[in-house]
Amino acid sequence: MAKRTGEKYDAIIDAAVRVIAEYGYHNAQVSRIAREARVADGTIYLYFKNKDDVLISLFSEKMGSFITEMEEKLREIESPADQLYTLIRLHFEKLEEDRQLATVTQIELRQSNPEVRRGIGEILKRYLDIIDRIIESGMEKGLFRPNLDIRVCRKMIFGSLDEMVTSWIMNDYKYSLLDQVEEIHRLFISGMGK
Amino acid sequence: MAKRTGEKYDAIIDAAVRVIAEYGYHNAQVSRIAREARVADGTIYLYFKNKDDVLISLFSEKMGSFITEMEEKLREIESPADQLYTLIRLHFEKLEEDRQLATVTQIELRQSNPEVRRGIGEILKRYLDIIDRIIESGMEKGLFRPNLDIRVCRKMIFGSLDEMVTSWIMNDYKYSLLDQVEEIHRLFISGMGK
Amino acid sequence: MAKRTGEKYDAIIDAAVRVIAEYGYHNAQVSRIAREARVADGTIYLYFKNKDDVLISLFSEKMGSFITEMEEKLREIESPADQLYTLIRLHFEKLEEDRQLATVTQIELRQSNPEVRRGIGEILKRYLDIIDRIIESGMEKGLFRPNLDIRVCRKMIFGSLDEMVTSWIMNDYKYSLLDQVEEIHRLFISGMGK
Amino acid sequence: MAKRTGEKYDAIIDAAVRVIAEYGYHNAQVSRIAREARVADGTIYLYFKNKDDVLISLFSEKMGSFITEMEEKLREIESPADQLYTLIRLHFEKLEEDRQLATVTQIELRQSNPEVRRGIGEILKRYLDIIDRIIESGMEKGLFRPNLDIRVCRKMIFGSLDEMVTSWIMNDYKYSLLDQVEEIHRLFISGMGK
DNA sequence: CATGAATGAGCGTTCATTCAT
DNA sequence: CATGAATGAACGCTCATTCAT
């Protein structure tokens, strides 16, 4: 069972994003997602193992393409400082241009059960790896202190960006995330620098 | 209704922490909390408005005393740099010495419904204020750059610490949070410094 | 247990009437009645066997004194026709002058459980007996048809009056019950007459 | 939601009648009705909005078809006196031939909450209208006094019939309602007549 | 006599998942 | 492949009653 592609597969995931964004995680019933996707309830189970699988897949699909895009963009940049800048900027840009997705991934999906959260954590590892590589590269090139604890820095960077976005959503998108890129970048560069 | 003090009030809150820590948020039924507190189901409703109120009160009680303790400790410290150090150390110390509470506040309660999350956010504001005051003080004393965006820095600090703790829990407390205090402190001090 | 007299006994019954009238049968909790009577919850159980007993006693006390009053008044009247007139008039008068009691006995207490309803029925028998005696007397005196089925007439009279009052309450006391006495009396007199 | 027809719709309503008749209003839990209808608990909510809706629908369905039948029968009758006779006879006939339904509508459903009672009242209006029309017709044709208060007479007729049936049930169907039709009819005809 | 804190049984409703068509 | 009617387990909360003080 559970073919993981096709027109309806995408329709269901997109419907899930819309429904969760509009009604909140706790009101995102399978039947509502099905209706929004113009599909029968049972059809969802032809494409996904269960509801958790829809949510994890949602995160995986959206985040996956984002991470891939991020990797491509960073590959074209030499300087770790510029890479970090781009990472922050893309992170904010992406979420700022799709508020629905931002709400869903930052707020709603965090209310999900342990199974889903574990799935999400798994996917985020790829993103953390990207951050790791930037830091490593900065250390190798002498831009950052040589004795930085990469795992600590990685968490600080991710935690900072994550909190920035969450806060921005909770404050009703009142300001622009992109305006904060410079400040954050500067703090990390001089914070990790020699 | 709803006396908010007394022996049973505390017993219920402590039982809630234990039950949630052991069985997870989604298996923390009112009746299970009651049983753990050696109290009848109905008794919970003599002390709390509803289940949400138990959870918010839990957070409020535990976080409240932590924040008060933090404020007292910081009042004895002059230097903003030392204050930041102490804040980080206490934050980690507190959660490291009570893993159950750490799990509940960092992992489980985040799965809660919007009402509870709102209550939690409200309580956290006091903590964010403390961070704000340290940054302001550092700017006034010429330790930090004068044009720092306080709100950005505050979120970065909180987001970093939060992610550190969450990560530590998700990795089964494998390492000591306190070992990371220096690194984090150094990064923020030089990151925000002139 | 359960002394059936005293200051508090009356206070509880009167409180019950007020609470039921104001909040409705389904919101007339024992604790609310106790509070209204300025008495502890447990005290109610010193005067009544249980909640049902309060309700039945309420009906019994109120209806009892009404029936006694009715009997006294009727004793002074000779003519069965006049007696019937007085019965109808007193029935309406009594309920019209105490709307709270009217609501409670006509509307709210009818939602009660079988036990209470049985108790109420028991008390009403005395009232039905009064009606019976009027009819009998009318037959004996040649005012009514000699072959009237007393039990049928009794039910028709009681049912008519009861429906009149219920309807009056449901229509927010918009009109006066006493205005209808003539019509009802005339119908029954000529209906039962030769 | 809530398809208001179909095989299961009928099954649930009929099950509700049986369960309420057998166990009483206060023991007619949704799950018991579901079991009796050989249907899952949740299925009830595919056909009804909630439990109240089941009860109101029950009354509506049963009473509705009764009222329709009544209207048809009366349409074939010219004389208001005969119409009244038929109304009384059908009223009793119907309830006498289905004791379960009689118990449920006369005794049990009257214990229901205000919402259900309101629904029932609404449905009964159609029945009261029928009585009105008979009286009006009788007045027009000179059979009844021209100055009758229709609303008073309507309530007396309905109240009388209602009380007759309730009494019959409370006395364990010991006698036949149909035996009383003549007496009641005679009383009203001569009571309202010139 | 009086109190009122504590008890715990009981129930309407939701919703992820299945499966006959 | 697709449907959507049907399932049934699960749970927060209320409130009449008790009993230690």
Side-chain angles (χ1 to χ4, degrees), chain C residues 8-45:
Chain C
K8 302 210 171 177
Y9 176 83
D10 294 336
I12 290 164
I13 283 189
D14 289 339
V17 175
R18 290 198 299 278
V19 167
I20 295 174
E22 179 163 12
Y23 299 99
Y25 177 80
H26 288 285
N27 289 309
Q29 296 86 347
V30 170
S31 63
R32 193 168 244 166
I33 294 171
R35 201 183 321 131
E36 176 77 22
R38 297 180 184 286
V39 138
D41 292 19
T43 302
I44 289 186
Y45 292 85

Side-chain angles (χ1 to χ4, degrees), chain A residues 12-13 22 32 49 58 67 90 92 97 99 106 112 120-121 127 136 143-144 160 177 182 184 193:
Chain A
I12 291 165
I13 283 189
E22 179 164 11
R32 195 169 241 166
K49 191 150 59 67
L58 178 170
I67 291 176
L90 271 180
F92 286 177
E97 77 190 12
R99 290 179 175 186
Q106 293 285 320
S112 60
I120 289 176
Y127 190 58
E136 278 166 12
L143 178 70
F144 300 153
S160 293
L177 277 175
E182 298 284 348
I184 297 168

Side-chain angles (χ1 to χ4, degrees), chain D residues 13 17 55-71 87 90-91 94-95 101-102 105-106 109-110 119-128 130-131 158 161-162:
Chain D
I13 283 190
V17 174
L55 303 180
I56 295 174
S57 301
L58 179 169
F59 193 84
S60 171
E61 292 287 338
K62 300 299 184 183
M63 200 61 188
S65 67
F66 167 60
I67 291 177
T68 301
E69 184 187 335
M70 179 76 80
E71 287 172 328
L87 180 123
L90 270 181
H91 189 129
K94 195 74 185 177
L95 292 169
L101 186 61
T105 57
Q106 292 285 320
L109 280 191
R110 314 237 167 156
I120 289 176
E122 212 55 48
I123 294 159
L124 280 179
K125 278 188 184 154
R126 261 182 77 199
Y127 191 59
L128 298 178
I130 294 179
I131 300 178
F158 180 77
L161 301 188
D162 198 63

Side-chain angles (χ1 to χ4, degrees), chain B residues 24-39:
Chain B
Y25 177 80
H26 289 284
N27 288 309
Q29 296 88 343
V30 170
S31 63
R32 194 169 245 167
I33 294 172
R35 201 182 321 132
E36 175 76 23
R38 297 177 182 287
V39 140

